[in-house]
Amino acid sequence: MILIKDLKHHEGESVTLKGWLYNKRSSGKVKFLIMRDGTGLVQLIVFKGNVTPEVFETADSLGRETSFEITGNVKKEERAIGGYEVDVADLKVISESHDYPITPKEHGTEFLMDHRHLWLRSKRQWAIMRIRHRIVKAIRDFFDERDFTLFDPPIITPNAVEGTSTLFETEYFDLGSAYLTQSGQLYAEAGAMALNKVYTFGPTFRAEKSKTRRHLTEFWMVEPEVAFYDLNDDMDLAEEFLEYIVQSVLKDRAEELKILERDTSKLELVKRPFPRISYTEAVEILHKNGVDFEWGEDFGAPDETIISNQFDRPVMVHRYPAAVKAFYMKRDPENEKLALAVDVLAPEGYGEIIGGSQREDELDKLLERIKEHNLPKQYFEWYLDLRRYGSVPHAGFGLGLERTVTWICGIDHLRETIPFPRMIYRNTP
Ligand code: 4AD
Ligand code: MG
């Protein structure tokens, strides 16, 4: 047996393929079957004169998504899907499929989401999952090649990291409440003090109460954290990282991007250096574009679109008002009102894909912040220890995987970028 993706190495040979029926059409004495096997699509020609009457009959009656096996001869055929065709000599059904719910006609999104377990078999979903995987590989390769150690934080945690409004709470035996992690960052900081350069990569959870195209309640985040880095080092790392991811996908996933009709010229532009502007400069851009925006507010999605539309590559917006950012961010020594934070906004209106910062490394200041934010100090004692025993400047960021996949695929909604999305109104299938 061979895989459809390897047909090109078997021209002129007799091969066996196993897969599922994607589509079929017939014209008298010939049946054209499109088989998919998860690695590609191929047209199979069942010619009445070449097979037994039983096989011809079977080919005629196959329902969509029937699993079957064929043996036949591989021919080059420029016009066929994938560039090759197979002349069938024999065909056996593995398991029948009748009335497959997803048909070539248009289905509504809710219907497709209810059938997500089957929808994943379609060409478009196939392409997205393959691109997601290539992005994950690029993420791992990037950090592994640069001496980062993978560091796995806990998912069950006693406290909030990114504000208390989006916590998933659960009872934890006799210890009271526990929460699903919103970010592995605080643990990554302990990791950076032990291993210098670390990254976490795993699922994170936010009880997002709004229904938007950009929010999942369960999403994957990769978070590098580096000892002795300041905000500039952090931005240099983010920029090199994004260029690496995008260029890896362009190199290895051209076919998938084509299926998605992605305008790849926009992705070709994702090369260093990226523009760096301060929050204050970003606010000036909004004002120039007629937006009524007050300095000190956080940007909404439409604001991010206007800002990112000024540039042809991702833009790094740094030094936000500390009041709209997390408790752990270091203040700008030149202006205490500002946090040494950076958000990276993707082009083409895709908005924030990275959030990061230099961390507060002074014990007294961090204690003050924990108080201001009304956080339960006892759960942060271990985190404060990192400032008690040889504290050093350090910085890191978090990249949202699904937001990155959405942008690189050029699609509208995060829900198609993860096998089984979790959102406010959906926790099935
Ligand atoms: O900006 P955020 O909240 O930053 C952090 O969690 C930091 N602790 C990261 C760090 O410095 N180590 O989230 C980081 C990224 C966002 O830019 C976005 O891409 C993604 O995570 N993200 C979400 N993706 C999907 N659904 C959601 N509900 C998301 N919330 C954040
Ligand atoms: Mg953020």
mmCIF file of all heavy atoms in Angstrom, residues 162 185-186 189 223-226 229-235 238 317-320 325-331 338-344 354-360 383 387 393-398:
data_model
loop_
_atom_site.group_PDB
_atom_site.id
_atom_site.type_symbol
_atom_site.label_atom_id
_atom_site.label_comp_id
_atom_site.label_asym_id
_atom_site.label_seq_id
_atom_site.Cartn_x
_atom_site.Cartn_y
_atom_site.Cartn_z
ATOM 1 N N GLU A 162 -3.968 36.706 34.429
ATOM 2 C CA GLU A 162 -4.407 37.777 33.527
ATOM 3 C C GLU A 162 -5.772 38.318 33.940
ATOM 4 O O GLU A 162 -6.718 38.285 33.181
ATOM 5 C CB GLU A 162 -4.448 37.238 32.091
ATOM 6 C CG GLU A 162 -3.101 36.776 31.544
ATOM 7 C CD GLU A 162 -2.088 37.903 31.411
ATOM 8 O OE1 GLU A 162 -2.505 39.046 31.161
ATOM 9 O OE2 GLU A 162 -0.892 37.622 31.566
ATOM 10 N N GLN A 185 2.830 31.924 32.320
ATOM 11 C CA GLN A 185 3.933 32.875 32.475
ATOM 12 C C GLN A 185 4.606 32.912 33.842
ATOM 13 O O GLN A 185 5.831 32.912 33.931
ATOM 14 C CB GLN A 185 3.436 34.274 32.135
ATOM 15 C CG GLN A 185 4.526 35.326 32.286
ATOM 16 C CD GLN A 185 3.937 36.686 32.422
ATOM 17 O OE1 GLN A 185 3.011 37.033 31.709
ATOM 18 N NE2 GLN A 185 4.485 37.490 33.331
ATOM 19 N N LEU A 186 3.816 32.972 34.908
ATOM 20 C CA LEU A 186 4.446 33.148 36.229
ATOM 21 C C LEU A 186 5.379 31.976 36.521
ATOM 22 O O LEU A 186 6.462 32.147 37.076
ATOM 23 C CB LEU A 186 3.394 33.306 37.319
ATOM 24 C CG LEU A 186 2.355 34.416 37.095
ATOM 25 C CD1 LEU A 186 1.510 34.606 38.353
ATOM 26 C CD2 LEU A 186 2.990 35.730 36.693
ATOM 27 N N GLU A 189 8.562 32.231 34.576
ATOM 28 C CA GLU A 189 9.552 33.125 35.193
ATOM 29 C C GLU A 189 10.440 32.347 36.168
ATOM 30 O O GLU A 189 11.661 32.552 36.210
ATOM 31 C CB GLU A 189 8.853 34.284 35.904
ATOM 32 C CG GLU A 189 8.224 35.265 34.928
ATOM 33 C CD GLU A 189 7.577 36.451 35.627
ATOM 34 O OE1 GLU A 189 8.219 37.085 36.487
ATOM 35 O OE2 GLU A 189 6.400 36.744 35.311
ATOM 36 N N GLU A 223 4.797 30.556 25.298
ATOM 37 C CA GLU A 223 5.307 31.679 26.086
ATOM 38 C C GLU A 223 6.801 31.538 26.388
ATOM 39 O O GLU A 223 7.191 30.815 27.298
ATOM 40 C CB GLU A 223 4.522 31.789 27.400
ATOM 41 C CG GLU A 223 3.045 32.090 27.181
ATOM 42 C CD GLU A 223 2.287 32.204 28.494
ATOM 43 O OE1 GLU A 223 1.776 31.184 28.987
ATOM 44 O OE2 GLU A 223 2.198 33.329 29.025
ATOM 45 N N PRO A 224 7.637 32.227 25.613
ATOM 46 C CA PRO A 224 9.058 32.260 25.965
ATOM 47 C C PRO A 224 9.295 33.221 27.126
ATOM 48 O O PRO A 224 8.557 34.205 27.279
ATOM 49 C CB PRO A 224 9.720 32.787 24.689
ATOM 50 C CG PRO A 224 8.672 33.610 24.029
ATOM 51 C CD PRO A 224 7.350 32.989 24.376
ATOM 52 N N GLU A 225 10.306 32.931 27.925
ATOM 53 C CA GLU A 225 10.673 33.814 29.045
ATOM 54 C C GLU A 225 12.196 33.744 29.169
ATOM 55 O O GLU A 225 12.760 32.639 29.187
ATOM 56 C CB GLU A 225 9.999 33.318 30.329
ATOM 57 C CG GLU A 225 10.112 34.255 31.511
ATOM 58 C CD GLU A 225 9.248 35.521 31.371
ATOM 59 O OE1 GLU A 225 8.166 35.455 30.763
ATOM 60 O OE2 GLU A 225 9.689 36.579 31.860
ATOM 61 N N VAL A 226 12.852 34.908 29.248
ATOM 62 C CA VAL A 226 14.312 34.905 29.213
ATOM 63 C C VAL A 226 14.911 35.795 30.299
ATOM 64 O O VAL A 226 14.532 36.970 30.440
ATOM 65 C CB VAL A 226 14.838 35.383 27.830
ATOM 66 C CG1 VAL A 226 16.350 35.163 27.736
ATOM 67 C CG2 VAL A 226 14.140 34.651 26.695
ATOM 68 N N TYR A 229 16.772 39.679 29.875
ATOM 69 C CA TYR A 229 16.207 40.390 28.707
ATOM 70 C C TYR A 229 15.459 41.637 29.182
ATOM 71 O O TYR A 229 14.782 41.601 30.213
ATOM 72 C CB TYR A 229 15.192 39.500 27.977
ATOM 73 C CG TYR A 229 15.738 38.764 26.759
ATOM 74 C CD1 TYR A 229 17.066 38.369 26.677
ATOM 75 C CD2 TYR A 229 14.887 38.455 25.703
ATOM 76 C CE1 TYR A 229 17.533 37.677 25.565
ATOM 77 C CE2 TYR A 229 15.355 37.769 24.590
ATOM 78 C CZ TYR A 229 16.674 37.390 24.526
ATOM 79 O OH TYR A 229 17.120 36.705 23.429
ATOM 80 N N ASP A 230 15.571 42.714 28.380
ATOM 81 C CA ASP A 230 14.707 43.866 28.615
ATOM 82 C C ASP A 230 13.654 43.927 27.500
ATOM 83 O O ASP A 230 13.585 43.024 26.660
ATOM 84 C CB ASP A 230 15.527 45.161 28.728
ATOM 85 C CG ASP A 230 16.266 45.497 27.431
ATOM 86 O OD1 ASP A 230 15.932 44.900 26.363
ATOM 87 O OD2 ASP A 230 17.158 46.357 27.462
ATOM 88 N N LEU A 231 12.860 44.997 27.505
ATOM 89 C CA LEU A 231 11.764 45.078 26.532
ATOM 90 C C LEU A 231 12.267 45.035 25.085
ATOM 91 O O LEU A 231 11.652 44.394 24.227
ATOM 92 C CB LEU A 231 10.932 46.349 26.774
ATOM 93 C CG LEU A 231 9.745 46.538 25.828
ATOM 94 C CD1 LEU A 231 8.683 45.458 26.006
ATOM 95 C CD2 LEU A 231 9.108 47.927 26.020
ATOM 96 N N ASN A 232 13.405 45.703 24.822
ATOM 97 C CA ASN A 232 13.932 45.699 23.450
ATOM 98 C C ASN A 232 14.351 44.309 23.004
ATOM 99 O O ASN A 232 14.083 43.908 21.867
ATOM 100 C CB ASN A 232 15.129 46.643 23.324
ATOM 101 C CG ASN A 232 14.662 48.038 22.978
ATOM 102 O OD1 ASN A 232 13.649 48.206 22.291
ATOM 103 N ND2 ASN A 232 15.379 49.026 23.468
ATOM 104 N N ASP A 233 15.023 43.581 23.908
ATOM 105 C CA ASP A 233 15.417 42.209 23.578
ATOM 106 C C ASP A 233 14.167 41.371 23.277
ATOM 107 O O ASP A 233 14.146 40.536 22.373
ATOM 108 C CB ASP A 233 16.156 41.551 24.754
ATOM 109 C CG ASP A 233 17.430 42.291 25.129
ATOM 110 O OD1 ASP A 233 18.116 42.791 24.224
ATOM 111 O OD2 ASP A 233 17.731 42.378 26.344
ATOM 112 N N ASP A 234 13.125 41.626 24.066
ATOM 113 C CA ASP A 234 11.866 40.893 23.914
ATOM 114 C C ASP A 234 11.262 41.151 22.525
ATOM 115 O O ASP A 234 10.790 40.231 21.853
ATOM 116 C CB ASP A 234 10.903 41.357 25.019
ATOM 117 C CG ASP A 234 9.857 40.314 25.380
ATOM 118 O OD1 ASP A 234 10.156 39.100 25.280
ATOM 119 O OD2 ASP A 234 8.739 40.700 25.765
ATOM 120 N N MET A 235 11.293 42.402 22.103
ATOM 121 C CA MET A 235 10.747 42.758 20.779
ATOM 122 C C MET A 235 11.595 42.152 19.661
ATOM 123 O O MET A 235 11.059 41.682 18.661
ATOM 124 C CB MET A 235 10.630 44.278 20.631
ATOM 125 C CG MET A 235 9.559 44.862 21.540
ATOM 126 S SD MET A 235 9.016 46.523 21.065
ATOM 127 C CE MET A 235 10.204 47.526 21.909
ATOM 128 N N ALA A 238 10.533 38.546 19.416
ATOM 129 C CA ALA A 238 9.189 38.379 18.842
ATOM 130 C C ALA A 238 9.233 38.539 17.322
ATOM 131 O O ALA A 238 8.582 37.794 16.574
ATOM 132 C CB ALA A 238 8.235 39.405 19.455
ATOM 133 N N VAL A 317 3.446 47.507 19.138
ATOM 134 C CA VAL A 317 3.020 48.687 19.883
ATOM 135 C C VAL A 317 3.507 48.519 21.318
ATOM 136 O O VAL A 317 3.168 47.539 21.983
ATOM 137 C CB VAL A 317 1.483 48.841 19.852
ATOM 138 C CG1 VAL A 317 1.064 50.117 20.581
ATOM 139 C CG2 VAL A 317 0.961 48.837 18.413
ATOM 140 N N HIS A 318 4.334 49.472 21.783
ATOM 141 C CA HIS A 318 4.934 49.299 23.111
ATOM 142 C C HIS A 318 4.570 50.436 24.051
ATOM 143 O O HIS A 318 4.061 51.472 23.643
ATOM 144 C CB HIS A 318 6.455 49.161 22.994
ATOM 145 C CG HIS A 318 7.107 50.307 22.260
ATOM 146 N ND1 HIS A 318 7.381 51.508 22.848
ATOM 147 C CD2 HIS A 318 7.497 50.409 20.957
ATOM 148 C CE1 HIS A 318 7.938 52.315 21.960
ATOM 149 N NE2 HIS A 318 8.008 51.691 20.801
ATOM 150 N N ARG A 319 4.830 50.222 25.339
ATOM 151 C CA ARG A 319 4.612 51.232 26.387
ATOM 152 C C ARG A 319 3.155 51.678 26.492
ATOM 153 O O ARG A 319 2.804 52.807 26.182
ATOM 154 C CB ARG A 319 5.567 52.414 26.201
ATOM 155 C CG ARG A 319 7.018 51.971 26.438
ATOM 156 C CD ARG A 319 8.016 53.114 26.278
ATOM 157 N NE ARG A 319 9.337 52.695 26.720
ATOM 158 C CZ ARG A 319 10.156 51.927 26.009
ATOM 159 N NH1 ARG A 319 9.805 51.478 24.820
ATOM 160 N NH2 ARG A 319 11.335 51.576 26.492
ATOM 161 N N TYR A 320 2.322 50.749 26.926
ATOM 162 C CA TYR A 320 0.891 51.024 27.159
ATOM 163 C C TYR A 320 0.711 51.672 28.528
ATOM 164 O O TYR A 320 1.553 51.489 29.417
ATOM 165 C CB TYR A 320 0.108 49.713 27.157
ATOM 166 C CG TYR A 320 -0.192 49.148 25.784
ATOM 167 C CD1 TYR A 320 0.824 48.585 25.004
ATOM 168 C CD2 TYR A 320 -1.493 49.160 25.274
ATOM 169 C CE1 TYR A 320 0.552 48.060 23.758
ATOM 170 C CE2 TYR A 320 -1.769 48.627 24.025
ATOM 171 C CZ TYR A 320 -0.759 48.090 23.267
ATOM 172 O OH TYR A 320 -1.028 47.580 22.029
ATOM 173 N N LYS A 325 -2.946 47.288 31.828
ATOM 174 C CA LYS A 325 -2.139 46.082 31.668
ATOM 175 C C LYS A 325 -1.994 45.308 32.979
ATOM 176 O O LYS A 325 -2.423 45.759 34.038
ATOM 177 C CB LYS A 325 -0.765 46.454 31.088
ATOM 178 C CG LYS A 325 -0.828 46.895 29.616
ATOM 179 C CD LYS A 325 -1.185 45.733 28.703
ATOM 180 C CE LYS A 325 -1.161 46.088 27.228
ATOM 181 N NZ LYS A 325 -1.698 45.020 26.375
ATOM 182 N N ALA A 326 -1.352 44.131 32.893
ATOM 183 C CA ALA A 326 -1.315 43.206 34.032
ATOM 184 C C ALA A 326 -0.393 43.688 35.163
ATOM 185 O O ALA A 326 0.496 44.515 34.951
ATOM 186 C CB ALA A 326 -0.875 41.832 33.546
ATOM 187 N N PHE A 327 -0.608 43.122 36.354
ATOM 188 C CA PHE A 327 0.089 43.567 37.572
ATOM 189 C C PHE A 327 1.601 43.328 37.530
ATOM 190 O O PHE A 327 2.364 44.011 38.182
ATOM 191 C CB PHE A 327 -0.496 42.842 38.791
ATOM 192 C CG PHE A 327 -0.006 41.422 38.957
ATOM 193 C CD1 PHE A 327 1.082 41.131 39.784
ATOM 194 C CD2 PHE A 327 -0.608 40.380 38.271
ATOM 195 C CE1 PHE A 327 1.556 39.832 39.928
ATOM 196 C CE2 PHE A 327 -0.138 39.069 38.406
ATOM 197 C CZ PHE A 327 0.946 38.800 39.232
ATOM 198 N N TYR A 328 2.028 42.333 36.749
ATOM 199 C CA TYR A 328 3.430 41.906 36.815
ATOM 200 C C TYR A 328 4.355 42.717 35.906
ATOM 201 O O TYR A 328 5.551 42.476 35.847
ATOM 202 C CB TYR A 328 3.537 40.416 36.441
ATOM 203 C CG TYR A 328 2.863 40.087 35.115
ATOM 204 C CD1 TYR A 328 3.434 40.495 33.912
ATOM 205 C CD2 TYR A 328 1.662 39.395 35.071
ATOM 206 C CE1 TYR A 328 2.816 40.225 32.704
ATOM 207 C CE2 TYR A 328 1.043 39.104 33.858
ATOM 208 C CZ TYR A 328 1.624 39.525 32.682
ATOM 209 O OH TYR A 328 1.014 39.267 31.489
ATOM 210 N N MET A 329 3.803 43.671 35.143
ATOM 211 C CA MET A 329 4.642 44.381 34.172
ATOM 212 C C MET A 329 5.454 45.485 34.842
ATOM 213 O O MET A 329 4.945 46.206 35.696
ATOM 214 C CB MET A 329 3.758 44.979 33.072
ATOM 215 C CG MET A 329 3.102 43.913 32.209
ATOM 216 S SD MET A 329 2.201 44.634 30.853
ATOM 217 C CE MET A 329 1.569 43.141 30.059
ATOM 218 N N LYS A 330 6.692 45.621 34.400
ATOM 219 C CA LYS A 330 7.557 46.663 34.944
ATOM 220 C C LYS A 330 7.143 48.015 34.371
ATOM 221 O O LYS A 330 6.737 48.109 33.220
ATOM 222 C CB LYS A 330 9.022 46.370 34.570
ATOM 223 C CG LYS A 330 10.031 47.199 35.355
ATOM 224 C CD LYS A 330 11.456 46.722 35.112
ATOM 225 C CE LYS A 330 12.455 47.575 35.879
ATOM 226 N NZ LYS A 330 12.317 47.421 37.350
ATOM 227 N N ARG A 331 7.241 49.044 35.221
ATOM 228 C CA ARG A 331 6.931 50.406 34.749
ATOM 229 C C ARG A 331 8.134 50.987 34.012
ATOM 230 O O ARG A 331 9.281 50.634 34.288
ATOM 231 C CB ARG A 331 6.575 51.309 35.928
ATOM 232 C CG ARG A 331 5.384 50.850 36.746
ATOM 233 C CD ARG A 331 4.081 51.012 35.982
ATOM 234 N NE ARG A 331 2.975 50.346 36.670
ATOM 235 C CZ ARG A 331 2.145 50.961 37.523
ATOM 236 N NH1 ARG A 331 2.299 52.239 37.810
ATOM 237 N NH2 ARG A 331 1.169 50.295 38.097
ATOM 238 N N LEU A 338 3.507 54.394 32.438
ATOM 239 C CA LEU A 338 3.571 53.436 31.331
ATOM 240 C C LEU A 338 4.141 52.100 31.788
ATOM 241 O O LEU A 338 5.023 52.038 32.635
ATOM 242 C CB LEU A 338 4.467 53.992 30.217
ATOM 243 C CG LEU A 338 4.043 55.322 29.607
ATOM 244 C CD1 LEU A 338 5.075 55.781 28.575
ATOM 245 C CD2 LEU A 338 2.653 55.209 28.970
ATOM 246 N N ALA A 339 3.622 51.021 31.187
ATOM 247 C CA ALA A 339 4.173 49.690 31.425
ATOM 248 C C ALA A 339 5.114 49.347 30.276
ATOM 249 O O ALA A 339 4.868 49.731 29.126
ATOM 250 C CB ALA A 339 3.041 48.665 31.489
ATOM 251 N N LEU A 340 6.189 48.605 30.593
ATOM 252 C CA LEU A 340 7.122 48.172 29.548
ATOM 253 C C LEU A 340 6.525 46.945 28.839
ATOM 254 O O LEU A 340 7.028 45.836 28.916
ATOM 255 C CB LEU A 340 8.487 47.840 30.150
ATOM 256 C CG LEU A 340 9.247 49.047 30.716
ATOM 257 C CD1 LEU A 340 10.543 48.610 31.400
ATOM 258 C CD2 LEU A 340 9.556 50.066 29.605
ATOM 259 N N ALA A 341 5.414 47.203 28.171
ATOM 260 C CA ALA A 341 4.636 46.131 27.528
ATOM 261 C C ALA A 341 4.769 46.237 26.023
ATOM 262 O O ALA A 341 5.093 47.301 25.494
ATOM 263 C CB ALA A 341 3.168 46.291 27.899
ATOM 264 N N VAL A 342 4.510 45.159 25.343
ATOM 265 C CA VAL A 342 4.416 45.202 23.876
ATOM 266 C C VAL A 342 3.289 44.285 23.418
ATOM 267 O O VAL A 342 3.126 43.179 23.925
ATOM 268 C CB VAL A 342 5.746 44.807 23.192
ATOM 269 C CG1 VAL A 342 6.182 43.395 23.564
ATOM 270 C CG2 VAL A 342 5.641 44.939 21.669
ATOM 271 N N ASP A 343 2.480 44.788 22.480
ATOM 272 C CA ASP A 343 1.513 43.945 21.781
ATOM 273 C C ASP A 343 1.941 43.924 20.324
ATOM 274 O O ASP A 343 2.326 44.967 19.785
ATOM 275 C CB ASP A 343 0.100 44.541 21.843
ATOM 276 C CG ASP A 343 -0.622 44.164 23.140
ATOM 277 O OD1 ASP A 343 0.005 43.523 24.013
ATOM 278 O OD2 ASP A 343 -1.812 44.520 23.266
ATOM 279 N N VAL A 344 1.897 42.761 19.696
ATOM 280 C CA VAL A 344 2.165 42.707 18.262
ATOM 281 C C VAL A 344 0.833 42.543 17.548
ATOM 282 O O VAL A 344 0.067 41.612 17.845
ATOM 283 C CB VAL A 344 3.125 41.563 17.892
ATOM 284 C CG1 VAL A 344 3.425 41.601 16.388
ATOM 285 C CG2 VAL A 344 4.416 41.653 18.697
ATOM 286 N N ILE A 354 0.343 38.717 19.741
ATOM 287 C CA ILE A 354 1.321 38.550 20.817
ATOM 288 C C ILE A 354 1.077 39.626 21.870
ATOM 289 O O ILE A 354 0.818 40.787 21.530
ATOM 290 C CB ILE A 354 2.774 38.691 20.285
ATOM 291 C CG1 ILE A 354 3.211 37.426 19.552
ATOM 292 C CG2 ILE A 354 3.756 39.039 21.408
ATOM 293 C CD1 ILE A 354 4.651 37.455 19.049
ATOM 294 N N GLY A 355 1.169 39.227 23.141
ATOM 295 C CA GLY A 355 1.209 40.182 24.242
ATOM 296 C C GLY A 355 2.424 39.830 25.088
ATOM 297 O O GLY A 355 2.630 38.665 25.400
ATOM 298 N N GLY A 356 3.224 40.838 25.438
ATOM 299 C CA GLY A 356 4.414 40.534 26.237
ATOM 300 C C GLY A 356 4.851 41.730 27.043
ATOM 301 O O GLY A 356 4.251 42.804 26.967
ATOM 302 N N SER A 357 5.935 41.544 27.816
ATOM 303 C CA SER A 357 6.444 42.657 28.619
ATOM 304 C C SER A 357 7.766 42.299 29.284
ATOM 305 O O SER A 357 8.135 41.127 29.374
ATOM 306 C CB SER A 357 5.452 43.021 29.733
ATOM 307 O OG SER A 357 5.375 41.991 30.693
ATOM 308 N N GLN A 358 8.430 43.355 29.776
ATOM 309 C CA GLN A 358 9.486 43.163 30.763
ATOM 310 C C GLN A 358 8.767 43.051 32.101
ATOM 311 O O GLN A 358 7.750 43.709 32.332
ATOM 312 C CB GLN A 358 10.439 44.363 30.721
ATOM 313 C CG GLN A 358 11.657 44.176 31.606
ATOM 314 C CD GLN A 358 12.686 45.289 31.419
ATOM 315 O OE1 GLN A 358 12.752 45.923 30.364
ATOM 316 N NE2 GLN A 358 13.483 45.517 32.452
ATOM 317 N N ARG A 359 9.266 42.200 32.993
ATOM 318 C CA ARG A 359 8.554 41.939 34.243
ATOM 319 C C ARG A 359 9.083 42.823 35.373
ATOM 320 O O ARG A 359 10.277 43.154 35.393
ATOM 321 C CB ARG A 359 8.715 40.470 34.647
ATOM 322 C CG ARG A 359 8.633 39.454 33.528
ATOM 323 C CD ARG A 359 7.387 39.583 32.674
ATOM 324 N NE ARG A 359 7.298 38.465 31.718
ATOM 325 C CZ ARG A 359 6.402 38.398 30.755
ATOM 326 N NH1 ARG A 359 5.541 39.376 30.543
ATOM 327 N NH2 ARG A 359 6.370 37.349 29.944
ATOM 328 N N GLU A 360 8.212 43.091 36.337
ATOM 329 C CA GLU A 360 8.652 43.840 37.515
ATOM 330 C C GLU A 360 9.604 42.950 38.306
ATOM 331 O O GLU A 360 9.225 41.871 38.743
ATOM 332 C CB GLU A 360 7.445 44.237 38.389
ATOM 333 C CG GLU A 360 7.841 45.064 39.590
ATOM 334 C CD GLU A 360 8.738 46.244 39.222
ATOM 335 O OE1 GLU A 360 8.216 47.237 38.670
ATOM 336 O OE2 GLU A 360 9.968 46.157 39.460
ATOM 337 N N TYR A 383 6.171 33.384 43.992
ATOM 338 C CA TYR A 383 6.512 34.281 42.881
ATOM 339 C C TYR A 383 7.360 35.447 43.391
ATOM 340 O O TYR A 383 8.301 35.894 42.728
ATOM 341 C CB TYR A 383 5.200 34.761 42.255
ATOM 342 C CG TYR A 383 5.330 35.600 41.003
ATOM 343 C CD1 TYR A 383 5.840 35.063 39.826
ATOM 344 C CD2 TYR A 383 4.913 36.937 40.995
ATOM 345 C CE1 TYR A 383 5.941 35.835 38.671
ATOM 346 C CE2 TYR A 383 4.995 37.712 39.851
ATOM 347 C CZ TYR A 383 5.507 37.161 38.688
ATOM 348 O OH TYR A 383 5.600 37.919 37.551
ATOM 349 N N ARG A 387 11.975 37.334 43.406
ATOM 350 C CA ARG A 387 12.533 38.684 43.567
ATOM 351 C C ARG A 387 13.358 38.783 44.853
ATOM 352 O O ARG A 387 14.088 39.760 45.049
ATOM 353 C CB ARG A 387 11.408 39.729 43.619
ATOM 354 C CG ARG A 387 10.858 40.143 42.254
ATOM 355 C CD ARG A 387 9.992 39.094 41.631
ATOM 356 N NE ARG A 387 9.506 39.479 40.306
ATOM 357 C CZ ARG A 387 8.965 38.650 39.447
ATOM 358 N NH1 ARG A 387 8.810 37.360 39.732
ATOM 359 N NH2 ARG A 387 8.583 39.072 38.272
ATOM 360 N N PRO A 393 16.615 41.387 35.790
ATOM 361 C CA PRO A 393 15.666 41.814 34.754
ATOM 362 C C PRO A 393 15.309 40.605 33.895
ATOM 363 O O PRO A 393 16.172 39.757 33.632
ATOM 364 C CB PRO A 393 16.460 42.828 33.924
ATOM 365 C CG PRO A 393 17.617 43.224 34.772
ATOM 366 C CD PRO A 393 17.908 42.079 35.684
ATOM 367 N N HIS A 394 14.077 40.523 33.459
ATOM 368 C CA HIS A 394 13.683 39.439 32.561
ATOM 369 C C HIS A 394 12.413 39.819 31.826
ATOM 370 O O HIS A 394 11.683 40.724 32.249
ATOM 371 C CB HIS A 394 13.535 38.109 33.308
ATOM 372 C CG HIS A 394 12.506 38.084 34.392
ATOM 373 N ND1 HIS A 394 12.648 38.765 35.586
ATOM 374 C CD2 HIS A 394 11.301 37.453 34.474
ATOM 375 C CE1 HIS A 394 11.599 38.553 36.359
ATOM 376 N NE2 HIS A 394 10.759 37.764 35.698
ATOM 377 N N ALA A 395 12.190 39.156 30.714
ATOM 378 C CA ALA A 395 11.054 39.515 29.852
ATOM 379 C C ALA A 395 10.596 38.299 29.068
ATOM 380 O O ALA A 395 11.324 37.302 28.974
ATOM 381 C CB ALA A 395 11.469 40.634 28.886
ATOM 382 N N GLY A 396 9.402 38.407 28.531
ATOM 383 C CA GLY A 396 8.858 37.317 27.723
ATOM 384 C C GLY A 396 7.589 37.760 27.039
ATOM 385 O O GLY A 396 7.179 38.928 27.136
ATOM 386 N N PHE A 397 6.980 36.846 26.318
ATOM 387 C CA PHE A 397 5.695 37.167 25.668
ATOM 388 C C PHE A 397 4.901 35.892 25.456
ATOM 389 O O PHE A 397 5.409 34.781 25.660
ATOM 390 C CB PHE A 397 5.926 37.912 24.340
ATOM 391 C CG PHE A 397 6.699 37.155 23.279
ATOM 392 C CD1 PHE A 397 6.086 36.164 22.502
ATOM 393 C CD2 PHE A 397 8.036 37.441 23.044
ATOM 394 C CE1 PHE A 397 6.793 35.491 21.513
ATOM 395 C CE2 PHE A 397 8.756 36.767 22.058
ATOM 396 C CZ PHE A 397 8.128 35.785 21.291
ATOM 397 N N GLY A 398 3.637 36.088 25.079
ATOM 398 C CA GLY A 398 2.773 34.952 24.757
ATOM 399 C C GLY A 398 2.217 35.124 23.357
ATOM 400 O O GLY A 398 1.727 36.204 23.003
#
